[in-house]
Each structure stands twice: as C-alpha cells, then as structure tokens.
Amino acid sequence: MRHLCMPEGLCARDVTKLEHIISVTRKIRRGDALFRTGDTFDSLYAVRSGSLKTVVTNDGSRDGGRERMTGLLLAGDALGLDGIGDGRHTCDAVALEDSSVCVVPYALFERMCRETDSLQRRMHRMMSQAINREAEHVVRLGMLRADERVARLLLDMSARLARRGYATAEFTMRMTRDDIGSYLGMTLETVSRTLSRFDKLGLIEAQGKSIRIRDFDGLRGI
Amino acid sequence: MRHLCMPEGLCARDVTKLEHIISVTRKIRRGDALFRTGDTFDSLYAVRSGSLKTVVTNDGSRDGGRERMTGLLLAGDALGLDGIGDGRHTCDAVALEDSSVCVVPYALFERMCRETDSLQRRMHRMMSQAINREAEHVVRLGMLRADERVARLLLDMSARLARRGYATAEFTMRMTRDDIGSYLGMTLETVSRTLSRFDKLGLIEAQGKSIRIRDFDGLRGI
DNA sequence: CGTCTACTTGAGGACTGTCAACTTTCGTGG
DNA sequence: CCACGAAAGTTGACAGTCCTCAAGTAGACG
C-alpha cells in the first residue's frame, strides 16, 4: 500500500510520519461521490484502488447544466488539490468503479510539509505536475481532431496502466462513452464511431468497455 | 509595487522578508522570452507590468511544430510554476508587450515557505488556483462553440483588468488574432469573423487590437 | 514611404454534432 | 438463475459549424 500513495523520495522516517497522518482510508462505491462541488475542503486524497473521475456541472445558460468530465484518476493519483484554493471543492469526484482512497487531513499534512523538506518539495512538485497535466490536456482539446484525441487517450491510459504494472495493451475503460466524450470535448456518438473505425482499421479491438491495442505505432500516427 | 506581486494575507514582517528575496526585477521586450521550454527552472516570477503569454510548441507529427498558446499573464500574475515539477520549464513565456517581472529565486522561496506559515499557505493556494483556472479553460474549450469562447475571453479580460483597477469596457488586446485563436482552439480567421460579427451586432466595437464592450449582458448571453 | 506582418472577408468543403432507430449490456428483483 | 427494464452503445442520415485556401486591405516598423 505504501508505494501506492504519495511517498517517493521520502526517507523511511518521513514515510512513517506520513503514514501516521494518512491512517484513514475510505471506500466509495461505483457512482458515489467522494466529494461534491461546494463541499468544504479539509482533506486531500490518494487513490488506493479503483478509479474516479472529476466532473464539473457547467452552470452555462445554454447547456442547462451539462456535466463535463475534467479528470481521470487511477490508483496512486492524488485528488482534491482543487479545494486548497478557496477552501471549497470546485468539482465533483465520482467513483467509476468500487474504489478506496487514503484520506490525508490537510491541516496535518500542511504542518508536516513545513517540518519535512522532502515532503514539501514533493507537494510542490505534485501540484506543478497537476498544472502541467491540465495544460497538456488543453493542448489536446484545442488542436487535435476527434480521432487524434481518442487515439491519445488510449495511448495515455495504456502508459499510465503500464507505469502501475498492468498490461499495456489490454485494459478496461471504466468510463462510459458519454464520459469519454465529455472528457475529450466531443459527443458520445463520435467516440463510438471513432472506436469502431479504429477497430475496422485493425488498430484496436474494442467491444464495449474492454480495449485491446493491436497497433501502437498506428495509433500514434493517427 | 508591493501590492502587485505575490503578498496578500502576509503580515508586515513577512512582507519585508519576502521583499528581500525578490529584490531582483527583469525587463523583457515585446516578443522576447522570459524562459523557454527545457530551460532549467530556478525562479518563479510575478508580472510587474505588461503582459506575457505562455506557449507550447507541439511536437506532434501532423502539425510540424505549431505553436499553441496556453496562458495569458497580466500584472500581478505568478508565472513559472510549471517548472517545479521536473526542474525544467515545460513551456515558453513570451512578452506580448514590453514588460517587467519580479524574480523569485525558488530555492530561497521554498525555504521561506517552510519558515512562514502564511507564505506556505499562500503558495499552496496559488498553485491550487492555477489548477482550477486550467480546468476552467478546459471546460471552455471542450463544450463551448467558437463564438461563446470568444465572448467569454472578452468578459474574462474585462474582469481581470477591472480587478487591477482598469476600465472594464475598454482595453487593448495585446495578443494577435493568431494567438487568440490558438488560445481558444480555433483558427485566426474564425476569431476575426467572430469579432466582426459581435461588432455588427452592437455587442462590441473592435478595431484591430482595441476592444470596447458595449453590451455586457449581450455577450454573456451568447 | 516601402515592406512586412497582421487582419479581414469570401467560397467551398471536411469534420463533427444532432436526431433517431435499433442492439447490446447491465443491474435488479422475482 | 433467469427475466425484465433501464442504461449504454452502435449506426445511419443530415445539417451546421468551423477549417482551408485564397485574395485583398490595413497597420506597424524601420
């Protein structure tokens, strides 16, 4: 469990201290929310098992509150950084499958950051990397076509799972087509059509949520 | 100058300490870069005067290295957080006009964060807010049409300038149409056409880079 | 004052969204 | 364990938005 949560680059003693803080874990059942927009922020979380999505419910006039998925969190990912800014969460975090998270009370964590250099450094790096991931996502949305976006999502999922020790070519998409669409800025129909086309082209085998990548270079070349 | 840079929520003594660290300022001429992708990261910056954009040069196969604007920084905004993650900057920061920035050596700043509660808290909040801003931008790109994106950008500019004490209805866009397009994920032609249409509709007066908003509610309703 | 860059505007076409019908999968309760 | 209803996914036809290509105008800078 240790290696799943936040550590990395902490000495043994620091890890022990950290462990003391994050002694609480919490289970979330598929479809349930870990937190919702507007909830007061008091803890950070690290995904222990399962996966979650973050969504914002756009208060736009025209859409009448359509949901928009903004993030996909896998085991080991940190979650809840959005709440630090104003003390309230700015999005919902919903479990895509039955999942569990480590709970990290922020007040304690903040204090410990001050005492432990390496933890502070790690915290800053984590947040910086979160910023970069978002920026990367913006680039995807803004200058790629629908099929390029889907291809990159598949490759990205594969890489992230590989880093966690899972098979790279075969995995289950926990998101619905609707989620994928809202994550990539397109409609669920376009997602479905694109996956079907990739399948016909021999790039992947897709049936429902289970994906098998057959031609990595082909996908990269889309 | 004090109120332009990072403070806010710091007591007088802390501000003095901070001031000591950020004694250096740097001028950047229009078109020049404050830092570039891959540069080793050693300082954060705060915009003192002028404005800058951040751009990533996409290494995509198809585009052959087209630029993509990812951020617009005005006086008072912090800059450089992207570099903390891996010790190297992940984007270019280019001045949109002759500008100056406060230089904040990160090693010193990091140490001071550890000593000063309020500064650490402020740092975390800043990064969290940066994450939220990006997320907001993602939502814009993903679920709004071209004219909605342009309308929101104009309103956003107006609000940000207002917060800095400038007129809300009249301002100069330092970005080119190309910049705006790449920021909003569309072509410069679409930007131009959209502004022209807004002008004809009486929502704004646009000639070249100078913008005057005539009907705020109209823009919001787009 | 000339040249280069930025901007505007038009025509045509590609991509993706919308609407709709249908099939498959999933979850719940008998 | 099976059956049923609901949710998720697929596929087609058509329409609209936005991009591409192109030509010409206005503005900036030396």
Side-chain angles (χ1 to χ4, degrees), chain B residues 39 51 60 79 128 169 178 182 190 210 213 220:
Chain B
D39 285 359
S51 54
L79 181 56
S128 174
D178 205 2
S182 93
T190 302
S210 84
I213 300 182
R220 287 194 197 93

Side-chain angles (χ1 to χ4, degrees), chain B residues 30 145-147 185-187 189-190 193 207:
Chain B
R30 180 198 149 126
R145 290 184 328 223
D147 53 356
M186 57 210 217
T187 60
E189 292 95 328
T190 302
R193 267 187 265 270
Q207 56 176 337

Side-chain angles (χ1 to χ4, degrees), chain A residues 31-52:
Chain A
D32 287 350
L34 175 59
F35 54 77
R36 292 202 172 277
T37 307
D39 284 0
T40 62
F41 162 78
D42 44 28
S43 302
L44 294 173
Y45 306 94
V47 181
R48 265 186 73 181
S49 66
S51 54
L52 297 92

